Amino acid sequence: MNARETFGGLDWPELKQQVRDCTACKLRAGCTQTVFGVGDEQADWLFVGEGPGGDEDARGEPFVGEAGKLLDNMLLAIKLKRGNNVYIANVVKCRPPNNRNPEADEIAQCLPYLQRQIALIQPKLIIALGKVASNALLGKDASIASLRGTLHDYHGIPLIVTYHPAYLLRSPMEKAKAWQDLCFATDTMQKL
Ligand code: URA
């Protein structure tokens, strides 16, 4: 059974329950709780990160730590606000140990949940934050540098790639490029 057949019929409450009950990969045993996603379930904007970190694992909400503060500021810079026409989700719903990158099998198990979230939200534009989200959604193995600046397509939904806020915290010089990506995103949204 593929992802669409597996979760294709689920509504929001059913999907949330499936994620809560999921033990499909080894991540669940090591995390406090699943982190489903947050925001406007009919948002035009969908931001997708990698997976919960320590703060998110404790709070049950994506992007609530330092990277989350930067994401909120990035949203503010383009006049957006968490929860207001914006939905925020991650590729994996459980925190990887020591904040390592999620492994291929973990992504493969969890991606159908994100795919169903996208199908239910039907956003006008997806912003993939960082390499894990970009490659998972585009089915590629490419660098952010090679993917940014182009309008990609996720099953008919335009998708723009930018740097992950946690990377921007470590490499503040790249913030100018992220700003370019956000401007590209607002320009794109205006034309949709
Ligand atoms: N990094 C992510 O990719 N997602 C979060 O929710 C927090 C940090």
Side-chain angles (χ1 to χ4, degrees), residues 3-16 18-19 36 41 46 87 93 110-123 137 154:
R4 277 160 205 288
E5 286 159 356
T6 311
F7 299 120
L10 297 191
D11 62 16
W12 280 112
E14 289 165 341
L15 184 63
K16 287 174 188 173
Q18 286 265 358
V19 169
F36 182 76
E41 291 175 355
L46 171 64
Y87 196 91
K93 312 305 190 202
C110 214
L111 192 59
Y113 297 128
L114 176 62
Q115 289 168 332
R116 185 65 191 149
Q117 285 174 303
I118 297 172
L120 287 167
I121 298 166
Q122 302 211 351
L137 288 170
Y154 171 85

Side-chain angles (χ1 to χ4, degrees), residues 19-21 33 37 82 98 104-105 108 112 120 125 141-142 152 164 166:
V19 169
R20 250 194 312 270
D21 294 345
Q33 59 186 319
R82 179 183 293 248
N98 305 317
D105 62 312
L120 287 167
L125 183 61
D141 182 13
H152 300 275
H164 192 287

Side-chain angles (χ1 to χ4, degrees), residues 35 48-53 56 61-65 67-68 88-90 129 164 166:
V35 178
V48 180
E50 180 178 315
E56 292 75 21
E61 183 175 329
F63 284 102
V64 290
I88 302 173
N90 282 311
L129 302 164
H164 192 287

Side-chain angles (χ1 to χ4, degrees), residues 37-51:
V38 70
D40 179 350
E41 291 175 355
Q42 294 174 331
D44 289 339
W45 294 83
L46 171 64
F47 289 78
V48 180
E50 180 178 315

